[in-house]
Amino acid sequence: MDHLGGNLEPTTICHVMALPFPGRGHINPMMNLCRSLASKRPDILITFVVTEEWLGLIGSEPKPDNISFGTIPNVLTSERARAGKFPAFFQEVLTKMEAPVERLLGQLKPPVSTIVADTYLMWAFEMANRNNIPVASLWTMSVPVYSVFQHFDLLVQNGHFPIELKERGEELVEYIPGISSTRVVDLPTCVYGHGRDILHRGFEAIASVSKAQFLLFCSVYELESQAIDALKASISLPIYHIGPTIPYFKLEQEEIVTGPGETTNYFRWLDMQPRGSVLYVSQGSTHSAPSAQLDEIAAGLRDSGVRYLWVARAEASLFKEGRGDMGLVVPWCDQLRVLCHPSLGGFWSHCGWGSTSEAAFAGIPLLTFPLYWDQAPNSKVIVDDWKIGWRVKSGLDVDKLIKRDEIAGLVKRFMDSESDEVKEMRRRAREISEICRRAIRKGGSSDTSIDAFIDDILQHHKN
């Protein structure tokens, strides 16, 4: 398979193999990093490795000419069938991908000179070392979550693992380097509940970083500086902060990307709404709330009288009935472009790191409704550290059903643009947005860090 294009000499080409974990929250930041690398240096060739199924999902999206796809067979459970089966899916990723990826690695021309692999693809670092190829580990979650795994022994030493959440969830964790005081309930859910069955995968992933030559964080330095500095002091690898790894380059394009079978009617609807009046609702692409909770959210939104745009994917048809005149329900949307629309005033989010980063960039406050793994600490950062959001759930019963009347009241208060509290939260969100935008401008912290990473991999390539 020959991925060489144009008049570039093979000897001058730095060929990067990008290996994302096969999930939307991992593929998106990896592709956005690759776009940054490709746009900065046309002499870097990138092969982005996905299954044939994922190629069908993302293959038609526009990309720079020096990025091409390398495919492996569909050795994993289909995206459509893996909901609710994440531990088994993770096991497939760890056992079935390595052999076809290594075969592809041997076929690529010119030879691959650097691999960028998702931190959770532990086998990729062994493979790179076997083939004497420098490898970078891309951590697609927040830096504080990395720090929790890095310093998990401190949780054990201080009696915070294992722990009974309902008895001790309000206790404070104040001893993890670089992380502000955190309640136990705001740690990753795998510490005390959902995801405990794959907690060991987090440890294995962090351990695999020792086999890498570079560590990349999808974070903005100014927003996570204490955690980044603490890790720089304890990790010998070079660390690069390259966030937000979101598709902000799309905002400069005139055309609006549409999803499968989609039109952009929702933008016409947004154009007709008053400034700052619409609540955008999305619960993410993998882990969803129970159907009883979704029913309460739908009823609460309707009863609040607030305008809302809800991306409900598979459940979309369930909520189109009875939504009233104020709501629009769609199966897909161009999320970052929606968040940057003038009519947007808030975002009800599961708090995946990608959505959190997009909201921060857009300057939109959040109603946080975390469900799984890193979403709980992201909610804490949004509400307590950045002060640009409110929690939907406030107690220690993380599985408690939040009723429609509570949701309606909360949404109404959150979207009240005349409230002093809401005005201050929106002002703070605009400040966070400016920090993100400064970071990616020429000479900004993330722009400089990406340049440093490029210089380092090119230096390795020359040597």
Side-chain angles (χ1 to χ4, degrees):
M1 187 180 301
D2 189 348
H3 285 276
L4 183 60
N7 300 315
L8 298 168
E9 291 296 319
T11 51
T12 68
I13 297 227
C14 176
H15 188 175
V16 175
M17 173 185 264
L19 285 176
F21 186 96
R24 181 66 71 176
H26 297 260
I27 284 176
N28 287 353
M30 180 71 83
M31 179 56 83
N32 293 324
L33 165 62
C34 289
R35 287 175 180 279
S36 293
L37 299 177
S39 63
K40 279 176 169 288
R41 293 296 295 252
D43 55 337
I44 293 179
L45 185 70
I46 299 170
T47 298
F48 196 92
V49 180
V50 290
T51 61
E52 290 167 355
E53 179 184 26
W54 268 104
L55 181 66
L57 294 172
I58 66 172
S60 61
E61 294 174 9
K63 57 180 176 40
D65 291 342
N66 48 334
I67 298 178
S68 52
F69 288 104
T71 55
I72 62 169
N74 290 326
V75 291
L76 307 172
T77 298
S78 168
E79 277 299 293
R80 293 182 296 276
R82 76 176 180 90
K85 304 171 185 171
F86 190 65
F89 179 76
F90 205 151
Q91 181 63 18
E92 287 182 356
V93 169
L94 295 181
T95 55
K96 296 184 176 181
M97 280 183 71
E98 182 175 7
V101 168
E102 192 154 15
R103 277 196 296 276
L104 177 64
L105 178 66
Q107 296 166 3
L108 292 175
K109 299 286 187 253
V112 169
S113 47
T114 305
I115 293 173
V116 180
D118 191 291
T119 308
Y120 284 106
L121 296 184
M122 289 79 92
W123 49 263
F125 304 96
E126 305 263 6
M127 180 188 76
N129 292 173
R130 268 197 312 276
N131 289 276
N132 294 313
I133 300 171
V135 58
S137 180
L138 178 69
W139 179 255
T140 60
M141 297 178 177
S142 73
V143 179
V145 172
Y146 187 101
S147 298
V148 168
F149 287 121
Q150 175 84 7
H151 298 289
F152 205 88
D153 57 315
L154 296 178
L155 289 175
V156 177
Q157 289 170 26
N158 285 274
H160 283 134
F161 181 84
I163 196 165
E164 184 58 47
L165 187 67
K166 288 182 181 176
E167 294 173 9
R168 301 176 58 201
E170 291 285 354
E171 289 186 20
L172 295 179
V173 174
E174 301 180 298
Y175 45 76
I176 297 179
I179 298 185
S180 61
S181 181
T182 301
R183 297 180 306 162
V184 169
V185 71
D186 292 323
L187 293 170
T189 63
C190 54
V191 174
Y192 54 76
H194 299 307
R196 177 80 75 87
D197 48 358
I198 55 169
L199 173 60
H200 60 292
R201 299 301 188 199
F203 302 146
E204 292 166 3
I206 298 302
S208 74
V209 173
S210 64
K211 300 182 178 77
Q213 284 70 52
F214 317 98
L215 177 57
L216 298 161
F217 286 131
C218 298
S219 298
V220 174
Y221 176 76
E222 288 81 358
L223 296 180
E224 298 182 81
S225 58
Q226 289 181 311
I228 292 170
D229 288 343
L231 285 172
K232 282 184 174 179
S234 64
I235 296 177
S236 58
L237 293 182
I239 290 176
Y240 310 85
H241 37 85
I242 58 166
T245 43
I246 61 175
Y248 47 79
F249 49 85
K250 281 186 186 177
L251 299 175
E252 297 163 4
Q253 299 167 354
E254 285 303 315
E255 75 277 7
I256 294 171
V257 178
T258 57
E262 266 299 295
T263 68
T264 53
N265 286 338
Y266 58 89
F267 277 112
R268 286 199 282 279
W269 182 82
L270 288 172
D271 288 342
M272 294 187 290
Q273 310 310 318
R275 187 176 190 87
S277 69
V278 175
L279 177 69
Y280 171 65
V281 183
S282 174
Q283 279 294 132
S285 55
T286 304
H287 306 284
S288 188
S291 58
Q293 183 63 77
L294 290 171
D295 289 341
E296 293 299 314
I297 293 170
L301 289 171
R302 183 192 63 226
D303 295 348
S304 73
V306 164
R307 295 170 175 84
Y308 66 90
L309 171 64
W310 189 350
V311 176
R313 295 184 171 83
E315 310 96 3
S317 59
L318 300 176
F319 305 123
K320 285 189 174 178
E321 299 303 321
R323 67 176 184 270
D325 300 329
M326 304 295 274
L328 182 65
V329 182
V330 296
W332 183 92
C333 79
D334 187 339
Q335 178 167 287
L336 181 59
R337 202 182 282 268
V338 164
L339 289 171
C340 291
H341 193 280
S343 69
L344 257 284
F347 180 7
W348 174 303
S349 176
H350 67 304
C351 306
W353 190 237
S355 288
T356 299
S357 299
E358 291 191 355
F361 181 86
I364 296 294
L366 297 106
L367 278 173
T368 70
F369 195 84
L371 296 167
Y372 191 72
W373 203 259
D374 65 318
Q375 297 167 9
N378 295 345
S379 168
K380 183 263 179 192
V381 166
I382 290 162
V383 176
D384 298 340
D385 298 347
W386 297 349
K387 296 180 171 47
I388 61 166
W390 297 350
R391 292 177 176 88
V392 175
K393 300 180 182 182
S394 54
L396 295 179
D397 185 357
V398 294
D399 295 320
K400 176 188 171 189
L401 185 72
I402 311 295
K403 293 295 186 64
R404 61 190 66 191
D405 55 346
E406 188 178 342
I407 290 169
L410 181 68
V411 166
K412 197 167 185 173
R413 291 193 307 276
F414 182 76
M415 294 299 290
D416 179 6
S417 58
E418 296 304 309
S419 151
D420 288 342
E421 189 178 1
V422 171
K423 283 178 181 174
E424 173 57 23
M425 184 166 54
R426 290 186 176 187
R427 183 197 65 77
R428 182 81 187 120
R430 289 192 295 272
E431 282 184 357
I432 296 287
S433 171
E434 184 51 35
I435 290 169
C436 293
R437 289 165 191 262
R438 271 202 307 268
I440 61 171
R441 285 186 201 131
K442 185 70 179 165
S445 57
S446 295
D447 180 70
T448 304
S449 201
I450 293 171
D451 284 344
F453 176 61
I454 290 172
D455 289 346
D456 289 347
I457 63 174
L458 291 177
Q459 192 59 45
H460 267 264
H461 178 53
K462 287 174 189 168
N463 294 344

